[in-house]
Amino acid sequence: MKLWKVLGLAGLAGVTATGVVIARDQRARAQLTPDEVRARLHERLESVVAADPSD
């Protein structure tokens, strides 16, 4: 029975840690202005086009 308690607590800690990481990422993404998002997308597009000479 003790093993199941430890596994349950470890699972709960994992879920909590995942939630913290997701919340932190969402907060950072929410602080971007639409112009910053657009600029990042253009940079990513240029890097993909530059890396793929077949087009």
Side-chain angles (χ1 to χ4, degrees):
M1 185 68 172
K2 200 173 198 179
L3 175 64
W4 292 112
K5 287 183 182 180
V6 172
L7 288 175
L9 288 174
L12 184 61
V15 168
T16 303
T18 302
V20 168
V21 169
I22 291 171
R24 186 180 299 161
D25 183 52
Q26 182 65 27
R27 197 175 326 123
R29 209 176 318 130
Q31 292 178 352
L32 293 176
T33 65
D35 291 332
E36 291 172 332
V37 172
R38 189 175 302 112
R40 284 187 178 190
L41 287 173
H42 284 294
E43 288 173 7
R44 287 173 57 186
L45 177 64
E46 289 172 5
S47 68
V48 168
V49 170
D52 188 17
S54 65
D55 287 336

